[in-house]
Amino acid sequence: MPEKNTYPVQLVQPDGRRVLDRVHAPLVADIDGTRLRAMYTDMVVARRIDTEATALQRQGQLGLWPPLLGQEGAQIGSAHALAPDDYVFCSYREAGVAYCRGVPPEDLTRLWRGAAHSCWDADAVKMTNPSIVVGAHGLHATGYAYAAHLEGAEIATIAYFGDGATSQGDTAEALGFAAGWSVPVVFFCQNNHWAISAPVRIQSATPIARRALGYGIPGVQVDGNDALAVLAVTRQALLRARAGGGPSFIEAITYRMGPHTTADDPTRYRTAAELEIWQQRDPIDRLRRLLEREELWDTAFENSVAERADEVATRLRTATLTMPDPEPAELFDHVYATPHRLIEEERREYAAYLEGAGR
């Protein structure tokens, strides 16, 4: 028998109309107008953070920035599903998730300016700092979730990564361990179609979510530009994890409308026509159209969102431009959680070197 066609979960069409889905719509039945407006606001602010940080890099104020333009629906939709005690393990593009977890705008650029080894206090917001090593944090998310399970904590972890990370051995190991030990972790793949210049078809000859099935992990595809659908499937996976059902895999189909990082030139490997298609599926425009259709949009709300975005952007820019350079000796801070003899020895040697160099 031919395999039955399956389609990505979608609750809101690009024109703002709702989709009848008796399985997933009940998962977001509590999302009223106030919550929809809050999600829209967070998406606009996330885009403004991204725009401001990109501008700062172009002006020489940041060494690098990984844009999230076009992925706001996947990030904000999933972030709104998380409980305060759930722990987030991010890659390097999840500034929108970080904002939703309570990371102050002033902390978002510290690493990218070269002023610190990290951006924020991970334990304060239950979210790790940007992971530059592609796919490595999937193992960290799995290990943390397993340890929490052994201690009886009713939490889940979520690991964010791109389509390119699914080709990494670390991701495969994380999936294998999570499946074998029924670990409460959600693997959240933002399939933005390009791993730098490599198209997604090179990463997998089958839909990425199906690869999870080979590990015994349920996988689901969702329209990643539909924030409401992303919220629904992420809630479903987190509930399953907290209830002892084990890991889940979500493939959020979205598109990176900007470059991989500010060091990249996407015009060298993709066409303007492809970009135009995805611009018509803009996640922010989609949610706005839903708000308009359901009479939740007015000038006062529009102005309040713009003011909030301006406020956050101003805080981000001001903090970046006034960020003090670190002292050289701070290189040894936070290497270990507790004092370590070798680190202290290296600190003394480095201090002697600086003194001899006339600093």
Side-chain angles (χ1 to χ4, degrees):
M1 293 291 291
E3 187 174 346
K4 181 181 178 181
N5 288 333
T6 58
Y7 300 93
V9 176
Q10 186 183 76
L11 296 179
V12 181
Q13 297 182 45
D15 63 2
R17 288 182 296 170
R18 288 190 184 255
V19 176
L20 177 62
D21 184 327
R22 293 186 175 87
V23 174
H24 297 95
L27 292 164
V28 291
D30 62 313
I31 304 299
D32 57 12
T34 300
R35 295 285 297 277
L36 285 174
R37 281 183 160 195
M39 290 176 66
Y40 178 83
T41 300
D42 286 347
M43 289 168 68
V44 171
V45 172
R47 180 164 294 186
R48 185 60 186 278
I49 287 171
D50 186 61
T51 302
E52 197 68 34
T54 299
L56 284 164
Q57 193 282 330
R58 299 307 191 202
Q59 294 159 8
Q61 299 299 330
L62 298 179
L64 191 73
W65 178 256
L68 61 88
L69 181 64
Q71 298 181 217
E72 296 87 355
Q75 292 197 18
I76 305 307
S78 58
H80 274 243
L82 296 165
D85 288 341
D86 292 334
Y87 216 109
V88 178
F89 290 77
C90 67
S91 62
Y92 42 76
R93 203 182 302 280
E94 283 74 44
V97 178
Y99 173 74
C100 288
R101 294 299 282 178
V103 174
E106 292 83 355
D107 290 346
L108 289 171
T109 59
R110 295 176 66 210
L111 172 68
W112 308 109
R113 187 171 171 83
H117 288 305
S118 60
C119 291
W120 55 79
D121 181 348
D123 282 340
V125 295
K126 299 293 188 293
M127 177 173 177
T128 60
N129 274 268
S131 174
I132 308 302
V133 181
V134 177
H137 57 288
L139 289 167
H140 307 156
T142 301
Y144 188 99
Y146 185 58
H149 166 72
L150 292 178
E151 292 182 349
E154 295 182 359
I155 69 163
T157 65
I158 185 168
Y160 288 91
F161 51 91
D163 44 288
T166 63
S167 295
Q168 294 290 334
D170 287 354
T171 301
E173 292 174 12
L175 290 166
F177 187 96
W181 294 94
S182 194
V183 177
V185 55
V186 176
F187 296 98
F188 193 95
C189 174
Q190 293 180 85
N191 178 359
N192 64 20
H193 285 76
W194 290 96
I196 309 183
S197 59
V200 66
R201 66 177 181 274
I202 293 178
Q203 312 302 331
S204 179
T206 188
I208 292 175
R210 291 190 182 182
R211 297 174 72 175
L213 300 178
Y215 294 89
I217 297 175
V220 61
Q221 282 188 318
V222 62
D223 184 337
N225 286 4
D226 177 355
L228 199 60
V230 172
L231 173 60
V233 299
T234 308
R235 274 183 167 181
Q236 186 178 48
L238 291 168
L239 286 170
R240 180 175 185 270
R242 297 190 200 104
S248 300
F249 190 102
I250 297 171
E251 179 189 358
I253 302 173
T254 183
Y255 193 79
R256 167 172 54 79
M257 292 199 283
H260 174 71
T261 71
T262 48
D264 171 42
D265 178 8
T267 64
R268 298 186 63 182
Y269 54 81
R270 70 184 187 195
T271 66
E274 177 181 302
L275 176 60
E276 184 179 355
I277 291 172
W278 284 93
Q279 286 174 333
Q280 296 170 6
R281 303 171 184 172
D282 189 301
I284 294 179
D285 290 345
R286 183 180 308 199
L287 190 50
R288 172 174 175 159
R289 290 174 186 132
L290 174 64
L291 294 173
E292 291 172 339
R293 282 181 176 274
E294 302 191 351
E295 298 183 353
L296 295 168
W297 184 272
D298 55 43
T299 302
F301 172 65
E302 182 178 16
N303 291 339
S304 70
V305 173
E307 290 172 4
R308 175 61 179 162
D310 286 345
E311 175 200 349
V312 170
T314 299
R315 290 170 59 185
L316 179 86
R317 172 169 285 273
T318 301
T320 301
L321 296 179
T322 59
M323 200 173 288
D325 292 333
E327 289 296 322
E330 292 180 24
L331 173 70
F332 302 95
D333 294 347
H334 310 299
V335 176
Y336 289 99
T338 56
H340 191 282
R341 179 181 57 80
L342 180 59
I343 293 297
E344 294 307 313
E345 180 181 335
E346 291 178 346
R347 187 195 299 271
R348 289 191 297 270
E349 291 178 355
Y350 188 52
Y353 165 77
L354 292 176
E355 183 177 357
R359 177 176 170 79

